[in-house]
Amino acid sequence: MKIDPDRELVEACQATTPTGLEGSFRTLYDQFKDRVYNVCYRITANPSDALDASQETFGIMFRKIRDFRFESKFSSWVYRIAVNASIDHKRRSSTRALTSLEANTDSTRDEVSKYDVRDERIEMPIAAASRHELEAEIQSAIARLSPKMRAITVLRYVENLSYEEISESLQISLGTVKSRLSRAHEALDRELTPVIDKHYLR
């Protein structure tokens, strides 16, 4: 296995007892907070749920960090915790509609835009509005996938993990990764083809 880029920092955390977000723990938190929140948000499709799942992820991560033995990449372990926390939180919040994103369009778009590195100042207002609408509809389509397909879609296309990294993160075979992604593609194609046609044929 290649040297884990997070190993030195993780070992520094393992050598101390956390008394709050300070020192190595603060550095590790800062390094992963955006990635963890992004995964949690994309899976839960709700900013409040994403924050709860993120807090749960870091709680588990810091409580169990001394047990981590580098049998996988540390980032893969973190992704696994975040995915499981998000799915568990979604199940506990099953009374909420999966389309809650649409009911909170303004606040949700603000959350999405935090991770959008494109500079909207160079876009015409109509183009920017159309793009935001399309992004919201894509997120809604992802939110309607099953939790397992949603997780694998987020890791592949939002976090840009390879098939091997997804396999390691979720502890599933490469064949299962490919099978779930294939089913996710088919579901998203059915949902998004008319949406994309609508936006590009205006």
Side-chain angles (χ1 to χ4, degrees):
M1 182 186 296
K2 294 181 180 179
I3 296 175
D4 193 324
D6 300 308
R7 183 165 194 140
E8 185 176 346
L9 182 56
V10 173
E11 287 178 339
C13 291
Q14 290 175 329
T16 59
T17 300
T19 56
L21 279 179
E22 57 186 31
S24 299
F25 288 93
R26 163 59 72 177
T27 303
L28 196 63
Y29 171 78
D30 288 341
Q31 190 160 308
F32 280 93
K33 63 182 180 181
D34 288 346
R35 281 183 278 176
V36 166
Y37 177 83
N38 206 17
V39 168
C40 293
Y41 171 72
R42 298 288 182 170
I43 293 175
T44 63
N46 180 282
S48 178
D49 288 347
L51 284 173
D52 289 343
S54 295
Q55 290 175 353
E56 187 173 336
T57 297
F58 283 107
I60 294 171
M61 176 177 150
F62 288 140
R63 285 197 305 273
K64 296 187 175 182
I65 195 167
R66 287 191 175 188
D67 298 328
F68 184 71
R69 295 292 177 262
F70 298 97
E71 294 173 355
S72 66
K73 287 176 63 177
F74 182 74
S75 59
S76 296
W77 184 63
V78 175
Y79 281 129
R80 187 183 315 147
I81 297 172
V83 166
N84 289 336
S86 299
I87 291 175
D88 288 345
H89 190 80
K90 197 67 180 174
R91 285 172 180 161
R92 292 195 297 268
S93 304
S94 58
T95 54
R96 296 179 182 175
L98 286 177
T99 55
S100 59
L101 175 68
E102 296 172 353
N104 297 280
T105 304
D106 292 339
S107 61
T108 301
R109 285 174 181 169
D110 288 343
E111 294 295 338
V112 173
S113 66
K114 284 165 46 178
Y115 301 97
D116 190 344
V117 298
R118 289 170 292 188
D119 188 348
E120 288 186 14
R121 290 173 298 178
I122 64 174
E123 293 184 277
M124 293 296 289
I126 294 177
S130 179
R131 181 172 57 76
H132 276 308
E133 183 182 347
L134 179 57
E135 287 173 351
E137 292 188 22
I138 290 172
Q139 176 59 35
S140 293
I142 292 174
R144 288 191 288 273
L145 295 173
S146 70
K148 289 181 179 180
M149 286 200 293
R150 196 182 315 153
I152 213 164
T153 301
V154 169
L155 293 181
R156 178 61 176 157
Y157 297 111
V158 177
E159 295 303 310
N160 297 313
L161 269 61
S162 67
Y163 286 8
E164 290 76 12
E165 289 170 326
I166 295 172
S167 173
E168 183 176 78
S169 296
L170 300 182
Q171 293 186 314
I172 57 178
S173 69
L174 280 174
T176 301
V177 171
K178 294 175 182 178
S179 174
R180 286 185 188 171
L181 274 174
S182 177
R183 295 202 305 274
H185 289 164
E186 291 174 0
L188 289 173
D189 279 347
R190 287 194 301 271
E191 293 243 6
L192 292 176
T193 296
V195 171
I196 292 172
D197 286 346
K198 179 184 72 176
H199 281 270
Y200 284 96
L201 294 177
R202 283 179 173 175

